[in-house]
Amino acid sequence: MDRLGRAEPELDISPGQKMLSAVSGSLLTSLLVTPLDVVRVRLQSQPNTSSLPRPSSSSFPSFTNLPPNLGVTACCREVFWVNNTSPVCLAAGPTLTTSVDSITPSTTTAAADCAVDETRRKTYTSTLDGLRKIARNEGLTSLWRGLSPTLVMAIPANVIYFTGYDILRSHKRSPVNRYVNDGYAPLVAGSVARISAAAVISPIEMFRTRMQAAPAGSSGVGVFKETLLGLRNLVQAQGYTSLWRGLTLTMWRDVPFSGIYWWGYEAGRNRLRDLRYNPTAINQDSSLTSRPDENHTATFVDSFLAGATSGAIAAIITTPFDVGKTRQQVLTDDHQKASRPRAERGPLKPEERSMPRFLYHIWKEEGSAGLFRGWAARCLKVAPACAIMISSYEIGKKMARSMNERKASER
């Protein structure tokens, strides 16, 4: 790119080569950051829980009406709830035939410990806590749950996104170059490219998000089938447009993110170039262009640092929209209720409201902490993802340009 952020003449780089660069970056990025994305989805979709007090045995309701064979064989593996409303679980011994008369204060205390520990085992308090608990309780491979749809989603999305951005910034007939000031061109080009990409891959993203939000205890194949069945029921009840549920929130998240990211990336990379080649120009406007002799290391370092910094800033700013999108997409509908007319369904769930009202509901119920839940996991995912993706893309284009130049010189 030149000093103003516009790409150098692209006569030597074909669209196919740009797409190949985007694909290679997508593969590498998806493999490295999917575990952080799994933790982010779990953090944002889990219910709001306060610290769980350890109840005393005196606070339990009467057990006289309970079935005589109620219990669990191993604490913190299965918890049986009475009528789905009681906060009490019963922990039996080695059999399931514990009688009501055998219930003692020590038994009920163990039951309380079991319930609390089971809940805490499924509650994630931070990114590192989520990584540790998912790997320990569900297996290490669960951290890559949803990798297949992630790859299916990331490859076409990044091809559309990065190639589209390059075209909007470099093509002579691009309306961005013709009508938009260079200072705002990255904002506009990044936003338009992201709208196109998000509209194409929104159904795949919903499938991936639901897979990653699936609770512990299911195998990968079981989660895949269950998620597919849930989406089929959703389509039968509400039509194919329901697959784009959350697209509005996705746009609210991705469009400003892309605008902020590309503006920050181009500004940051230009400053890094200035610092390397013309330090005196760091605080003044410079006409320095991309150096033709810039090696691969300089290209990688500049694009990596600028991409990571800009991506982290954009991720923090847009986290509330990411929280709203995640919660809306993991919402599970009652199939029979969803098939009824709108007037017979009762009041709307918070996730079914408009974006501003839904985010206001989160803020009112959970405060700012709710709106920014999972921000650390999001930044830890987005910053390296942006850095790896953009540096891979820039290196790929540079390698393609060098290869084309060698071929041209041999003619």
Side-chain angles (χ1 to χ4, degrees), residues 185-264:
L187 295 168
V188 177
S191 299
V192 173
R194 176 53 68 185
I195 290 173
S196 302
V200 171
I201 55 88
S202 184
I204 306 175
E205 185 175 14
M206 172 180 280
F207 182 83
R208 182 202 62 170
T209 302
R210 288 194 170 204
M211 278 193 68
Q212 292 177 339
S218 301
S219 64
V221 176
V223 171
F224 185 91
K225 290 182 178 180
E226 183 178 349
T227 304
L228 198 62
L229 179 62
L231 290 182
R232 187 181 70 176
N233 292 337
L234 184 66
V235 170
Q236 291 176 346
Q238 302 182 20
Y240 285 100
T241 56
S242 61
L243 292 176
W244 277 263
R245 171 192 288 173
L247 179 59
T248 301
L249 279 173
T250 299
M251 294 295 187
W252 274 93
R253 179 197 67 179
D254 288 357
V255 171
F257 174 88
S258 297
I260 296 169
Y261 168 74
W262 283 110
W263 176 82

Side-chain angles (χ1 to χ4, degrees), residues 167-183:
I167 292 174
L168 290 171
R169 293 290 281 133
S170 64
H171 200 281
K172 295 180 180 179
R173 296 183 179 179
S174 168
V176 174
N177 284 336
R178 296 173 63 183
Y179 303 113
V180 180
N181 183 277
D182 281 319

Side-chain angles (χ1 to χ4, degrees), residues 97 100 106 132 136 143 168 196-197 216 255 329 340 373 392 394 400 402 408:
T97 59
V100 176
S106 61
R132 179 176 58 85
R136 183 183 63 187
L143 290 172
L168 290 171
S196 302
V255 171
Q329 287 186 326
R340 299 174 187 170
R373 177 177 292 179
S392 300
E394 295 286 4
S402 299

Side-chain angles (χ1 to χ4, degrees), residues 46-62:
Q46 72 181 357
N48 184 32
T49 58
S50 57
S51 60
L52 295 173
R54 202 173 286 272
S56 63
S57 59
S58 61
S59 64
F60 294 131
S62 173

Side-chain angles (χ1 to χ4, degrees), residues 127-185:
T127 302
L128 293 178
D129 182 61
L131 289 170
R132 179 176 58 85
K133 287 182 177 178
I134 293 173
R136 183 183 63 187
N137 299 325
E138 305 176 39
L140 191 63
T141 56
S142 293
L143 290 172
W144 278 268
R145 178 177 289 173
L147 179 60
S148 296
T150 294
L151 292 174
V152 173
M153 177 186 72
I155 291 175
N158 284 327
V159 166
I160 296 171
Y161 183 40
F162 284 87
T163 305
Y165 180 83
D166 259 353
I167 292 174
L168 290 171
R169 293 290 281 133
S170 64
H171 200 281
K172 295 180 180 179
R173 296 183 179 179
S174 168
V176 174
N177 284 336
R178 296 173 63 183
Y179 303 113
V180 180
N181 183 277
D182 281 319
Y184 300 101

